[in-house]
Coordinates of all heavy atoms in Angstrom, one line a residue:
M341 N 141.8 161.4 11.1 CA 141.6 160.5 12.2 C 140.8 161.2 13.3 O 140.1 160.6 14.0 CB 143.0 160.1 12.7 CG 143.7 159.1 11.8 SD 142.7 157.6 11.4 CE 142.4 156.9 13.0
Q342 N 141.0 162.5 13.5 CA 140.3 163.3 14.5 C 138.8 163.2 14.3 O 138.0 163.1 15.2 CB 140.8 164.7 14.6 CG 142.2 164.9 15.1 CD 142.7 166.3 15.1 OE1 142.3 167.1 14.2 NE2 143.7 166.6 15.9
H343 N 138.4 163.4 13.0 CA 137.0 163.3 12.7 C 136.5 161.9 13.0 O 135.4 161.7 13.6 CB 136.7 163.6 11.2 CG 136.9 165.0 10.9 ND1 136.2 166.1 11.5 CD2 137.8 165.6 10.1 CE1 136.6 167.2 11.0 NE2 137.6 167.0 10.1
R344 N 137.2 160.9 12.6 CA 136.8 159.5 12.8 C 136.7 159.1 14.2 O 135.7 158.4 14.6 CB 137.8 158.5 12.1 CG 137.4 157.1 12.1 CD 138.4 156.2 11.4 NE 138.6 156.5 10.0 CZ 137.7 156.2 9.0 NH1 136.6 155.5 9.3 NH2 138.0 156.5 7.8
L345 N 137.6 159.6 15.1 CA 137.6 159.3 16.5 C 136.7 160.3 17.3 O 136.5 160.1 18.5 CB 139.0 159.3 17.0 CG 139.9 158.3 16.4 CD1 141.4 158.5 16.9 CD2 139.5 156.9 16.7
G346 N 136.2 161.3 16.7 CA 135.3 162.3 17.4 C 136.1 163.1 18.4 O 135.5 163.5 19.4
E347 N 137.3 163.4 18.1 CA 138.2 164.1 19.1 C 137.9 165.6 19.1 O 138.2 166.3 20.0 CB 139.6 163.9 18.8 CG 140.1 162.4 19.0 CD 141.5 162.2 18.6 OE1 142.1 163.1 18.0 OE2 142.0 161.1 18.9
Q348 N 137.4 166.2 18.0 CA 137.1 167.6 17.9 C 135.6 167.9 18.0 O 134.8 167.3 17.3 CB 137.6 168.1 16.5 CG 139.1 168.0 16.3 CD 139.9 169.0 17.1 OE1 139.5 170.1 17.3 NE2 141.1 168.6 17.4
D349 N 135.3 168.8 18.9 CA 133.9 169.2 19.0 C 133.5 170.0 17.7 O 134.3 170.7 17.1 CB 133.6 170.1 20.2 CG 133.7 169.4 21.5 OD1 133.4 168.1 21.5 OD2 134.0 170.0 22.5
G350 N 132.3 169.9 17.3 CA 131.8 170.6 16.1 C 130.9 169.8 15.3 O 130.3 168.8 15.7
F351 N 130.7 170.3 14.1 CA 129.7 169.7 13.1 C 129.9 168.2 12.9 O 129.0 167.4 13.0 CB 129.8 170.5 11.8 CG 128.8 170.0 10.7 CD1 127.6 170.6 10.7 CD2 129.2 169.1 9.8 CE1 126.7 170.2 9.8 CE2 128.3 168.6 8.9 CZ 127.0 169.2 8.8
T352 N 131.2 167.8 12.6 CA 131.4 166.4 12.3 C 131.2 165.5 13.5 O 130.7 164.4 13.3 CB 132.9 166.2 11.7 OG1 133.8 166.7 12.7 CG2 133.1 166.9 10.4
K353 N 131.5 165.9 14.7 CA 131.2 165.1 15.9 C 129.7 165.1 16.1 O 129.2 164.0 16.4 CB 132.0 165.7 17.1 CG 131.8 164.8 18.3 CD 132.7 165.4 19.4 CE 132.5 164.5 20.7 NZ 133.4 165.0 21.8
R354 N 129.1 166.2 16.0 CA 127.6 166.3 16.3 C 126.8 165.4 15.4 O 125.9 164.7 15.8 CB 127.1 167.7 16.2 CG 125.7 167.9 16.6 CD 125.2 169.4 16.6 NE 126.3 170.3 17.1 CZ 126.7 171.4 16.4 NH1 126.2 171.7 15.3 NH2 127.7 172.1 17.0
Y355 N 127.2 165.4 14.1 CA 126.4 164.6 13.1 C 127.1 163.3 12.7 O 126.7 162.6 11.8 CB 126.1 165.5 11.9 CG 125.2 166.6 12.2 CD1 125.7 167.9 12.5 CD2 123.8 166.4 12.4 CE1 124.9 168.9 12.8 CE2 123.0 167.5 12.7 CZ 123.5 168.7 12.9 OH 122.7 169.8 13.3
I356 N 128.1 162.9 13.5 CA 128.8 161.6 13.2 C 129.3 161.5 11.8 O 128.9 160.5 11.1 CB 128.0 160.4 13.7 CG1 127.5 160.7 15.1 CG2 128.9 159.2 13.7 CD1 126.5 159.6 15.6
I357 N 129.9 162.5 11.3 CA 130.5 162.5 9.9 C 131.9 162.0 10.0 O 132.8 162.8 10.5 CB 130.3 163.9 9.3 CG1 128.9 164.3 9.2 CG2 131.0 163.9 7.9 CD1 128.6 165.7 8.8
N358 N 132.2 160.8 9.5 CA 133.5 160.3 9.7 C 134.0 159.4 8.5 O 134.9 158.6 8.7 CB 133.5 159.4 11.0 CG 132.5 158.3 11.0 OD1 132.0 158.0 10.0 ND2 132.3 157.8 12.2
R359 N 133.4 159.6 7.3 CA 133.9 158.9 6.2 C 134.4 159.9 5.1 O 133.7 160.9 4.9 CB 132.8 158.1 5.5 CG 132.3 156.9 6.4 CD 131.3 156.0 5.7 NE 130.4 156.7 4.9 CZ 129.9 156.2 3.7 NH1 130.3 155.1 3.3 NH2 129.0 156.9 3.1
L360 N 135.5 159.5 4.5 CA 136.0 160.4 3.4 C 135.6 159.7 2.1 O 135.9 158.6 1.8 CB 137.5 160.4 3.4 CG 138.2 161.1 2.3 CD1 137.9 162.6 2.4 CD2 139.7 160.9 2.4
V361 N 134.7 160.4 1.3 CA 134.2 159.8 0.1 C 134.7 160.6 -1.2 O 134.5 160.2 -2.3 CB 132.7 159.7 0.1 CG1 132.2 158.7 1.1 CG2 132.0 161.0 0.3
Y362 N 135.3 161.7 -1.0 CA 135.8 162.6 -2.1 C 136.9 163.4 -1.6 O 137.0 163.9 -0.5 CB 134.7 163.5 -2.6 CG 135.1 164.4 -3.7 CD1 135.2 163.9 -5.0 CD2 135.5 165.7 -3.4 CE1 135.6 164.8 -6.0 CE2 135.9 166.5 -4.5 CZ 136.0 166.1 -5.7 OH 136.4 166.9 -6.8
F363 N 137.9 163.6 -2.5 CA 139.0 164.6 -2.2 C 139.6 165.1 -3.4 O 139.5 164.4 -4.5 CB 140.1 163.9 -1.3 CG 140.9 162.9 -2.0 CD1 142.1 163.2 -2.6 CD2 140.5 161.6 -2.0 CE1 142.8 162.3 -3.3 CE2 141.3 160.6 -2.6 CZ 142.4 161.0 -3.3
E364 N 140.3 166.2 -3.4 CA 141.1 166.7 -4.4 C 142.4 167.1 -3.8 O 142.5 167.5 -2.7 CB 140.4 167.9 -5.1 CG 139.2 167.6 -5.9 CD 138.7 168.8 -6.7 OE1 139.5 169.5 -7.3 OE2 137.5 169.1 -6.5
S365 N 143.5 167.1 -4.6 CA 144.8 167.6 -4.2 C 145.2 168.9 -4.9 O 144.9 169.0 -6.1 CB 145.8 166.5 -4.5 OG 145.6 165.4 -3.8
F366 N 145.8 169.8 -4.2 CA 146.2 171.0 -4.8 C 147.6 171.3 -4.4 O 148.0 171.0 -3.3 CB 145.3 172.2 -4.3 CG 143.9 172.1 -4.7 CD1 142.9 171.4 -4.0 CD2 143.5 172.6 -5.9 CE1 141.6 171.2 -4.4 CE2 142.2 172.5 -6.4 CZ 141.2 171.8 -5.6
R367 N 148.3 172.0 -5.2 CA 149.7 172.4 -4.9 C 149.7 173.7 -4.0 O 150.5 173.8 -3.1 CB 150.4 172.7 -6.2 CG 151.9 173.1 -6.0 CD 152.6 173.2 -7.3 NE 154.0 173.4 -7.0 CZ 154.9 173.5 -7.9 NH1 154.6 173.2 -9.2 NH2 156.2 173.7 -7.6
Y368 N 148.7 174.6 -4.2 CA 148.7 175.8 -3.5 C 147.4 175.9 -2.7 O 146.3 175.6 -3.1 CB 148.7 177.0 -4.4 CG 150.0 177.0 -5.3 CD1 150.0 176.7 -6.6 CD2 151.2 177.3 -4.7 CE1 151.1 176.7 -7.4 CE2 152.4 177.3 -5.4 CZ 152.3 177.0 -6.8 OH 153.5 177.0 -7.5
V369 N 147.5 176.3 -1.4 CA 146.4 176.3 -0.5 C 145.3 177.3 -0.9 O 144.1 177.0 -0.7 CB 146.9 176.6 1.0 CG1 147.4 178.1 1.1 CG2 145.8 176.3 2.0
N370 N 145.7 178.4 -1.6 CA 144.6 179.3 -2.1 C 143.7 178.6 -3.1 O 142.5 178.9 -3.1 CB 145.3 180.5 -2.7 CG 146.0 181.4 -1.7 OD1 145.8 181.2 -0.5 ND2 146.9 182.3 -2.2
N371 N 144.3 177.8 -4.0 CA 143.4 177.0 -4.9 C 142.5 176.1 -4.2 O 141.3 175.9 -4.6 CB 144.3 176.3 -5.9 CG 145.1 177.2 -6.8 OD1 144.8 178.4 -6.9 ND2 146.1 176.7 -7.4
C372 N 143.0 175.4 -3.2 CA 142.2 174.5 -2.3 C 141.0 175.2 -1.7 O 139.9 174.8 -1.7 CB 143.1 173.9 -1.3 SG 142.2 172.8 -0.2
I373 N 141.3 176.4 -1.1 CA 140.3 177.1 -0.4 C 139.2 177.6 -1.4 O 138.0 177.5 -1.1 CB 140.9 178.3 0.4 CG1 141.7 177.8 1.5 CG2 139.8 179.3 0.9 CD1 142.6 178.8 2.2
A374 N 139.6 178.1 -2.6 CA 138.7 178.5 -3.6 C 137.8 177.4 -4.1 O 136.6 177.6 -4.2 CB 139.5 179.1 -4.8
C375 N 138.4 176.2 -4.2 CA 137.6 175.0 -4.7 C 136.6 174.7 -3.6 O 135.4 174.4 -3.9 CB 138.5 173.9 -5.0 SG 137.6 172.4 -5.5
E376 N 137.0 174.6 -2.3 CA 136.2 174.3 -1.2 C 135.0 175.3 -1.1 O 133.8 174.8 -1.0 CB 136.9 174.3 0.1 CG 136.1 173.9 1.3 CD 136.9 173.8 2.6 OE1 138.1 174.2 2.6 OE2 136.3 173.4 3.6
K377 N 135.2 176.5 -1.3 CA 134.2 177.5 -1.2 C 133.2 177.3 -2.4 O 132.0 177.4 -2.2 CB 134.7 178.9 -1.3 CG 135.4 179.3 0.0 CD 135.9 180.8 0.0 CE 136.5 181.1 1.3 NZ 137.0 182.5 1.3
R378 N 133.7 177.0 -3.6 CA 132.9 176.8 -4.8 C 132.0 175.6 -4.5 O 130.8 175.7 -4.8 CB 133.8 176.6 -6.0 CG 133.0 176.5 -7.3 CD 133.9 176.4 -8.5 NE 134.5 175.1 -8.5 CZ 135.8 174.9 -8.4 NH1 136.7 175.9 -8.2 NH2 136.3 173.6 -8.4
I379 N 132.5 174.5 -4.1 CA 131.8 173.3 -3.9 C 130.7 173.5 -2.8 O 129.6 173.0 -2.9 CB 132.7 172.1 -3.6 CG1 133.5 171.7 -4.8 CG2 131.9 170.9 -3.1 CD1 134.5 170.6 -4.6
K380 N 131.1 174.2 -1.7 CA 130.1 174.5 -0.6 C 128.9 175.3 -1.1 O 127.8 175.2 -0.5 CB 130.8 175.2 0.5 CG 131.6 174.3 1.4 CD 132.2 175.0 2.6 CE 132.9 174.1 3.5 NZ 133.4 174.7 4.8
S381 N 129.1 176.1 -2.2 CA 128.0 176.9 -2.7 C 127.0 176.1 -3.5 O 125.9 176.5 -3.9 CB 128.5 178.1 -3.4 OG 129.0 177.7 -4.7
W382 N 127.4 174.9 -3.9 CA 126.6 174.0 -4.8 C 125.4 173.5 -4.1 O 125.4 173.3 -2.8 CB 127.4 172.8 -5.3 CG 128.5 173.2 -6.3 CD1 128.8 174.4 -6.8 CD2 129.4 172.3 -6.8 NE1 129.9 174.3 -7.7 CE2 130.3 173.0 -7.7 CE3 129.6 170.9 -6.7 CZ2 131.3 172.4 -8.4 CZ3 130.6 170.3 -7.4 CH2 131.5 171.0 -8.2
S383 N 124.4 173.0 -4.8 CA 123.2 172.3 -4.3 C 123.7 170.9 -3.8 O 124.7 170.4 -4.3 CB 122.1 172.2 -5.3 OG 122.5 171.3 -6.3
R384 N 122.9 170.3 -2.9 CA 123.2 169.0 -2.4 C 123.3 168.0 -3.6 O 124.1 167.1 -3.7 CB 122.2 168.5 -1.4 CG 122.5 167.2 -0.8 CD 121.5 166.8 0.3 NE 121.8 165.5 0.8 CZ 122.7 165.3 1.8 NH1 123.4 166.3 2.3 NH2 122.9 164.1 2.3
A385 N 122.3 168.1 -4.6 CA 122.3 167.2 -5.7 C 123.6 167.3 -6.5 O 124.1 166.2 -7.0 CB 121.1 167.5 -6.6
K386 N 124.1 168.5 -6.7 CA 125.3 168.6 -7.5 C 126.5 168.0 -6.8 O 127.4 167.4 -7.4 CB 125.5 170.1 -7.8 CG 126.6 170.4 -8.8 CD 126.7 171.8 -9.2 CE 127.8 172.0 -10.3 NZ 127.8 173.4 -10.7
K387 N 126.5 168.2 -5.4 CA 127.6 167.6 -4.6 C 127.5 166.0 -4.7 O 128.5 165.4 -4.8 CB 127.5 168.0 -3.2 CG 127.8 169.5 -3.0 CD 127.5 169.9 -1.5 CE 127.6 171.4 -1.3 NZ 127.1 171.8 0.0
V388 N 126.3 165.5 -4.6 CA 126.1 164.0 -4.7 C 126.6 163.5 -6.0 O 127.2 162.5 -6.2 CB 124.7 163.7 -4.4 CG1 124.4 162.2 -4.7 CG2 124.3 163.9 -2.9
S389 N 126.3 164.3 -7.1 CA 126.7 163.9 -8.4 C 128.2 163.9 -8.6 O 128.8 163.0 -9.2 CB 126.1 164.9 -9.4 OG 126.5 164.5 -10.7
L390 N 128.9 164.9 -8.0 CA 130.3 164.9 -8.0 C 130.9 163.7 -7.3 O 131.8 163.0 -7.9 CB 130.8 166.2 -7.4 CG 132.3 166.4 -7.2 CD1 133.0 166.6 -8.5 CD2 132.6 167.5 -6.2
I391 N 130.4 163.4 -6.1 CA 130.9 162.3 -5.4 C 130.7 161.0 -6.1 O 131.6 160.1 -6.2 CB 130.3 162.2 -4.0 CG1 130.8 163.4 -3.2 CG2 130.7 160.9 -3.2 CD1 130.0 163.7 -1.9
S392 N 129.5 160.8 -6.7 CA 129.1 159.6 -7.4 C 130.0 159.4 -8.6 O 130.3 158.2 -9.0 CB 127.6 159.6 -7.7 OG 126.9 159.6 -6.6
A393 N 130.4 160.4 -9.3 CA 131.2 160.3 -10.5 C 132.6 159.9 -10.1 O 133.3 159.1 -10.8 CB 131.2 161.6 -11.2
F394 N 133.1 160.4 -8.9 CA 134.4 160.1 -8.4 C 134.5 158.8 -7.7 O 135.5 158.0 -7.8 CB 134.9 161.3 -7.5 CG 136.2 161.1 -6.9 CD1 137.4 161.5 -7.6 CD2 136.3 160.6 -5.6 CE1 138.6 161.4 -7.0 CE2 137.6 160.5 -5.0 CZ 138.7 160.9 -5.7
N395 N 133.5 158.5 -6.9 CA 133.5 157.3 -6.1 C 132.1 156.7 -6.1 O 131.3 156.9 -5.2 CB 133.9 157.7 -4.6 CG 134.0 156.6 -3.6 OD1 133.8 155.5 -3.9 ND2 134.3 157.0 -2.4
P396 N 131.7 155.9 -7.2 CA 130.3 155.5 -7.3 C 129.8 154.6 -6.2 O 128.6 154.7 -5.9 CB 130.4 154.6 -8.6 CG 131.7 154.9 -9.2 CD 132.6 155.5 -8.2
T397 N 130.6 153.9 -5.5 CA 130.1 153.1 -4.4 C 130.2 153.8 -3.0 O 129.8 153.2 -2.0 CB 131.0 151.8 -4.2 OG1 132.3 152.1 -4.0 CG2 130.8 151.0 -5.5
W398 N 130.6 155.0 -3.0 CA 130.7 155.9 -1.8 C 131.6 155.1 -0.7 O 131.3 155.2 0.5 CB 129.4 156.2 -1.2 CG 128.7 157.3 -2.0 CD1 128.3 157.2 -3.3 CD2 128.3 158.6 -1.6 NE1 127.7 158.3 -3.8 CE2 127.6 159.2 -2.7 CE3 128.4 159.3 -0.4 CZ2 127.1 160.5 -2.7 CZ3 127.9 160.5 -0.4 CH2 127.2 161.1 -1.5
E399 N 132.6 154.5 -1.2 CA 133.5 153.7 -0.4 C 134.3 154.7 0.5 O 134.6 155.8 0.1 CB 134.5 153.0 -1.2 CG 135.6 152.2 -0.5 CD 136.6 151.6 -1.4 OE1 136.3 151.5 -2.6 OE2 137.6 151.2 -0.9
D400 N 134.6 154.4 1.7 CA 135.4 155.2 2.6 C 136.8 155.2 2.2 O 137.5 154.1 2.3 CB 135.3 154.7 4.1 CG 136.0 155.7 5.1 OD1 136.6 156.6 4.6 OD2 135.9 155.4 6.3
L401 N 137.3 156.2 1.6 CA 138.7 156.3 1.0 C 139.8 156.3 2.1 O 140.9 156.2 1.8 CB 138.8 157.5 0.1 CG 137.7 157.5 -1.0 CD1 137.9 158.8 -1.8 CD2 137.9 156.3 -1.9
A402 N 139.4 156.5 3.3 CA 140.3 156.6 4.4 C 140.1 155.4 5.4 O 140.5 155.5 6.6 CB 140.2 157.9 5.1
A403 N 139.5 154.4 5.0 CA 139.1 153.3 5.9 C 140.3 152.6 6.6 O 140.2 152.2 7.7 CB 138.3 152.2 5.1
D404 N 141.4 152.6 5.9 CA 142.6 151.9 6.5 C 143.6 152.9 7.1 O 144.7 152.5 7.5 CB 143.3 151.1 5.4 CG 143.8 151.8 4.2 OD1 143.4 153.0 4.1 OD2 144.6 151.3 3.4
W405 N 143.2 154.2 7.2 CA 144.1 155.2 7.8 C 144.3 154.8 9.3 O 143.3 154.5 9.9 CB 143.6 156.6 7.7 CG 143.7 157.1 6.3 CD1 144.0 156.4 5.1 CD2 143.4 158.5 5.9 NE1 144.0 157.3 4.0 CE2 143.6 158.5 4.5 CE3 143.0 159.6 6.5 CZ2 143.4 159.7 3.7 CZ3 142.8 160.8 5.8 CH2 143.0 160.8 4.4
G406 N 145.5 154.9 9.8 CA 145.7 154.7 11.2 C 145.9 153.2 11.5 O 146.2 152.9 12.7
T407 N 145.9 152.4 10.5 CA 146.2 150.9 10.8 C 147.7 150.7 10.4 O 148.3 151.4 9.6 CB 145.3 150.0 9.9 OG1 145.6 150.3 8.5 CG2 143.9 150.2 10.2
E408 N 148.2 149.7 11.1 CA 149.6 149.4 10.8 C 149.8 148.7 9.5 O 148.9 147.9 9.1 CB 150.2 148.5 11.9 CG 150.3 149.2 13.3 CD 151.1 148.4 14.3 OE1 152.0 147.6 13.9 OE2 150.8 148.6 15.5
V409 N 150.9 149.0 8.8 CA 151.1 148.4 7.5 C 152.4 147.5 7.7 O 153.4 148.0 8.3 CB 151.4 149.5 6.5 CG1 151.7 148.9 5.1 CG2 150.1 150.4 6.4
E410 N 152.4 146.3 7.1 CA 153.6 145.5 7.1 C 154.7 146.1 6.2 O 154.4 146.4 5.1 CB 153.2 144.1 6.5 CG 152.5 143.2 7.5 CD 153.3 142.7 8.6 OE1 154.5 142.4 8.4 OE2 152.8 142.6 9.7
P411 N 155.8 146.3 6.8 CA 156.9 146.8 6.0 C 157.4 145.8 4.9 O 157.2 144.6 5.2 CB 158.0 147.1 7.0 CG 157.7 146.2 8.1 CD 156.2 146.1 8.2
L412 N 157.9 146.3 3.8 CA 158.4 145.3 2.8 C 159.6 144.7 3.3 O 160.5 145.3 4.0 CB 158.8 146.1 1.5 CG 157.6 146.6 0.7 CD1 158.1 147.5 -0.5 CD2 156.8 145.5 0.1
S413 N 159.7 143.4 3.0 CA 161.0 142.7 3.4 C 162.1 143.1 2.4 O 161.8 143.5 1.3 CB 160.7 141.2 3.4 OG 160.5 140.8 2.0
P414 N 163.3 142.9 2.8 CA 164.4 143.3 1.9 C 164.3 142.5 0.6 O 164.6 143.0 -0.5 CB 165.7 142.9 2.7 CG 165.3 143.0 4.1 CD 163.8 142.6 4.1
K415 N 163.9 141.2 0.7 CA 163.7 140.4 -0.5 C 162.7 140.9 -1.5 O 162.9 141.1 -2.7 CB 163.4 138.9 -0.1 CG 163.3 138.0 -1.3 CD 163.0 136.6 -0.9 CE 162.9 135.7 -2.1 NZ 162.6 134.3 -1.7
A416 N 161.5 141.3 -0.9 CA 160.5 141.9 -1.7 C 160.9 143.2 -2.3 O 160.6 143.5 -3.5 CB 159.2 142.1 -0.9
D417 N 161.6 144.0 -1.6 CA 162.1 145.3 -2.0 C 163.1 145.1 -3.2 O 163.0 145.8 -4.2 CB 162.8 146.1 -0.9 CG 163.1 147.5 -1.3 OD1 162.3 148.1 -1.9 OD2 164.2 147.9 -1.0
S418 N 164.0 144.1 -3.1 CA 164.9 143.9 -4.2 C 164.2 143.3 -5.4 O 164.6 143.6 -6.6 CB 166.1 143.0 -3.8 OG 165.6 141.7 -3.4
S419 N 163.2 142.5 -5.2 CA 162.5 142.0 -6.4 C 161.7 143.1 -7.1 O 161.6 143.1 -8.3 CB 161.6 140.8 -6.0 OG 160.5 141.3 -5.2
L420 N 161.2 144.1 -6.4 CA 160.6 145.2 -7.0 C 161.5 146.0 -7.8 O 161.2 146.4 -8.9 CB 159.9 146.1 -5.9 CG 158.7 145.5 -5.2 CD1 158.3 146.4 -4.1 CD2 157.6 145.3 -6.2
R421 N 162.7 146.2 -7.3 CA 163.7 147.0 -8.0 C 164.2 146.2 -9.3 O 164.3 146.8 -10.3 CB 164.9 147.3 -7.1 CG 164.7 148.5 -6.3 CD 165.9 148.9 -5.5 NE 165.8 148.4 -4.2 CZ 166.7 147.7 -3.5 NH1 167.9 147.5 -4.0 NH2 166.4 147.2 -2.3
S422 N 164.4 144.9 -9.2 CA 164.8 144.2 -10.4 C 163.7 144.1 -11.4 O 163.9 144.1 -12.6 CB 165.2 142.7 -10.0 OG 164.2 142.0 -9.5
N423 N 162.4 144.1 -10.9 CA 161.3 144.1 -11.8 C 161.2 145.4 -12.6 O 161.0 145.4 -13.8 CB 160.0 143.9 -11.0 CG 158.8 143.6 -11.9 OD1 159.0 143.2 -13.1 ND2 157.6 143.7 -11.3
D424 N 161.5 146.5 -11.9 CA 161.6 147.8 -12.6 C 162.6 147.8 -13.7 O 162.4 148.4 -14.7 CB 161.8 149.0 -11.6 CG 160.6 149.2 -10.7 OD1 159.5 148.8 -11.0 OD2 160.8 149.9 -9.6
K425 N 163.8 147.2 -13.4 CA 164.9 147.2 -14.4 C 164.4 146.4 -15.6 O 164.7 146.8 -16.7 CB 166.1 146.6 -13.8 CG 166.8 147.5 -12.8 CD 168.0 146.7 -12.2 CE 168.6 147.5 -11.0 NZ 169.7 146.8 -10.4
S426 N 163.7 145.3 -15.4 CA 163.3 144.5 -16.5 C 162.3 145.3 -17.4 O 162.3 145.2 -18.6 CB 162.8 143.1 -16.1 OG 161.6 143.3 -15.3
K427 N 161.4 146.0 -16.7 CA 160.4 146.8 -17.5 C 161.2 147.9 -18.3 O 160.8 148.1 -19.4 CB 159.5 147.5 -16.5 CG 158.5 146.6 -15.9 CD 157.6 147.3 -14.9 CE 156.6 146.4 -14.3 NZ 155.8 147.1 -13.3
K428 N 162.2 148.5 -17.7 CA 162.9 149.5 -18.5 C 163.6 148.8 -19.7 O 163.7 149.4 -20.8 CB 164.0 150.2 -17.6 CG 163.3 151.1 -16.6 CD 164.4 151.7 -15.7 CE 163.8 152.5 -14.6 NZ 164.7 153.0 -13.6
Q429 N 164.2 147.6 -19.5 CA 164.8 147.0 -20.6 C 163.8 146.6 -21.7 O 164.1 146.8 -22.9 CB 165.5 145.7 -20.1 CG 166.7 146.0 -19.2 CD 167.2 144.7 -18.6 OE1 166.6 143.7 -18.6 NE2 168.4 144.8 -18.0
V430 N 162.6 146.2 -21.3 CA 161.6 145.9 -22.3 C 161.2 147.1 -23.1 O 161.1 147.1 -24.3 CB 160.4 145.2 -21.7 CG1 159.2 145.1 -22.6 CG2 160.8 143.8 -21.1
L431 N 161.0 148.2 -22.3 CA 160.6 149.4 -22.9 C 161.7 149.9 -23.9 O 161.5 150.4 -24.9 CB 160.2 150.5 -21.9 CG 159.0 150.2 -21.1 CD1 158.9 151.3 -20.0 CD2 157.8 150.3 -22.0
G432 N 163.0 149.8 -23.4 CA 164.1 150.3 -24.2 C 164.2 149.5 -25.5 O 164.5 150.0 -26.5
S433 N 164.0 148.2 -25.4 CA 164.1 147.3 -26.6 C 163.0 147.6 -27.6 O 163.1 147.5 -28.8 CB 164.1 145.9 -26.3 OG 162.9 145.5 -25.7
Q434 N 161.8 148.1 -27.1 CA 160.7 148.4 -28.0 C 161.0 149.7 -28.8 O 160.5 149.9 -29.9 CB 159.4 148.5 -27.2 CG 158.9 147.2 -26.7 CD 157.7 147.4 -25.8 OE1 157.4 148.5 -25.4 NE2 157.0 146.3 -25.5
S435 N 161.7 150.6 -28.2 CA 161.9 151.9 -28.8 C 163.1 151.8 -29.8 O 163.3 152.8 -30.6 CB 162.2 153.0 -27.8 OG 163.3 152.7 -27.1
E436 N 163.9 150.8 -29.8 CA 165.0 150.7 -30.7 C 164.6 150.3 -32.1 O 163.7 149.6 -32.4 CB 166.0 149.7 -30.2 CG 166.7 150.2 -28.9 CD 167.7 149.1 -28.3 OE1 168.0 148.1 -29.0 OE2 168.1 149.3 -27.2

């Protein structure tokens, strides 16, 4: 959100870089840092290829961040739970 709103001075504010088009998740920060350094050393063409394979339309993956989300109603929540039970029953009957 800070990048999107231009709250931090620096590269992203100067060049108006505010869309998230690629990300990876890591369990350990050291692995994250190593991956970031590896990708930063790549050519622009290789980076574009990576993004296009992951997100062909270059959609902003964080477009709805910071927007309010309607909470589930208790009725919807209970129907989801009952739906999960029926799925388990169907799966259980297939394995018998």
Side-chain angles (χ1 to χ4, degrees):
M341 288 305 300
Q342 290 174 334
H343 291 298
R344 185 177 301 281
L345 298 173
E347 293 176 351
Q348 298 284 330
D349 288 334
F351 183 86
T352 57
K353 184 175 181 178
R354 185 177 319 131
Y355 294 99
I356 311 170
I357 298 172
N358 58 15
R359 292 187 321 145
L360 176 67
V361 293
Y362 177 81
F363 71 90
E364 289 185 51
S365 297
F366 294 90
R367 184 173 183 172
Y368 301 107
V369 70
N370 292 344
N371 295 342
C372 176
I373 293 168
C375 180
E376 183 178 3
K377 287 181 179 181
R378 185 178 69 249
I379 290 173
K380 281 185 175 186
S381 73
W382 292 356
S383 68
R384 181 176 182 85
K386 192 170 179 178
K387 293 173 191 174
V388 167
S389 179
L390 174 70
I391 295 166
S392 295
F394 178 82
N395 183 0
T397 60
W398 287 62
E399 177 185 347
D400 184 358
L401 303 175
D404 61 349
W405 288 10
T407 60
E408 289 191 32
V409 177
E410 283 288 323
L412 287 174
S413 68
K415 183 178 179 179
D417 189 43
S418 64
S419 68
L420 290 173
R421 276 186 263 134
S422 64
N423 192 16
D424 288 343
K425 289 177 187 175
S426 63
K427 285 180 185 177
K428 288 177 186 174
Q429 290 171 349
V430 171
L431 293 174
S433 63
Q434 289 175 348
S435 63
E436 291 177 13

